[in-house]
């Protein structure tokens, strides 16, 4: 009986740690300056890589990205090409649509938060995004990446 309980506990802990490490889902981004909710990003997987798309703007609903073509921020993929590396995802890029700049990035999950780190050389900035359970998508189709054209 003790052996059975030990196996069940091990299986439960393994499943919980895998679920906690999964970065996919809807995340509320938080403004660094005001600490207010700014947008909702859908983090999704496509062909083994992780991407992120802005699916809701909570502040400036007509915002456009400062990149060639000035596309609307809503619907824009701002994260692309991340690959799993132990408990983190790295090797991809993140776009700051307000500045029009692209950075190397990595992300990892800590409970109900997602840590998103943008890097430029030896410098980096880490944001904490909060799990969003209230956003309701209009459809149930999995997104296909649309990586923006940036300089």
């Amino acid at each position: 009986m003790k052996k059975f309980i030990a196996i069940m506990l091990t299986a439960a802990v393994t499943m919980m740690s895998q679920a906690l490490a999964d970065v996919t889902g809807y995340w509320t981004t938080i403004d660094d300056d005001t600490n207010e909710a700014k947008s909702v990003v859908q983090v999704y997987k496509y062909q083994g890589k992780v991407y992120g798309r802005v699916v809701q703007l909570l502040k400036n609903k007509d915002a456009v990205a400062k990149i060639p073509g000035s596309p609307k921020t809503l619907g824009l993929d701002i994260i692309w090409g991340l690959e799993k590396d132990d408990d983190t995802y790295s090797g991809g890029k993140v776009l700051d649509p307000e500045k029009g700049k692209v950075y190397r990035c990595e992300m990892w999950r800590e409970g109900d938060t997602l840590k998103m780190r943008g890097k430029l050389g030896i410098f980096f900035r880490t944001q904490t995004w909060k799990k969003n359970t209230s956003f309701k998508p209009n459809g149930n189709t999995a997104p296909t990446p649309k990586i923006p054209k940036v300089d």
Side-chain angles (χ1 to χ4, degrees):
M1 185 67 167
K2 289 180 184 179
K3 193 175 196 179
F4 175 75
I5 292 172
I7 291 171
M8 293 306 290
L9 283 173
T10 302
V13 168
T14 301
M15 287 191 308
M16 285 177 22
S17 67
Q18 288 175 348
L20 290 176
D22 187 23
V23 295
T24 61
Y26 296 95
W27 300 93
T28 302
T29 66
I30 307 299
D31 187 284
D32 289 338
D33 298 323
T34 65
N35 205 31
E36 294 180 354
K38 192 171 182 177
S39 66
V40 177
V41 173
Q42 179 184 13
V43 176
Y44 63 96
K45 290 183 182 173
Y46 182 81
Q47 296 182 348
K49 294 188 179 183
V50 172
Y51 298 82
R53 178 172 294 164
V54 178
V55 294
Q56 184 178 33
L57 291 172
L58 304 171
K59 293 289 177 191
N60 183 2
K61 297 183 189 292
D62 295 321
V64 295
K66 292 185 178 178
I67 59 174
S70 300
K72 290 190 177 260
T73 302
L74 183 63
L76 188 65
D77 278 8
I78 60 167
I79 301 166
W80 60 89
L82 291 168
E83 296 184 69
K84 188 155 179 56
D85 183 16
D86 291 325
D87 291 335
T88 64
Y89 291 81
S90 60
K93 303 287 184 182
V94 60
L95 167 68
D96 179 341
E98 291 180 349
K99 295 179 180 173
K101 300 210 182 261
V102 177
Y103 305 93
R104 292 177 296 119
C105 74
E106 64 182 349
M107 69 169 62
W108 64 95
R109 186 162 176 181
E110 292 181 1
D112 282 342
T113 65
L114 184 71
K115 299 291 186 169
M116 166 58 68
R117 178 171 289 165
K119 300 176 176 183
L120 182 62
I122 61 170
F123 301 101
F124 64 87
R125 184 178 91 196
T126 305
Q127 290 186 333
T128 300
W129 296 358
K130 297 178 182 175
K131 183 77 174 155
N132 184 301
T133 56
S134 61
F135 178 78
K136 303 292 183 223
N138 289 335
N140 59 358
T141 58
T144 302
K146 296 180 227 161
I147 299 170
K149 294 183 181 358
V150 290
D151 293 336

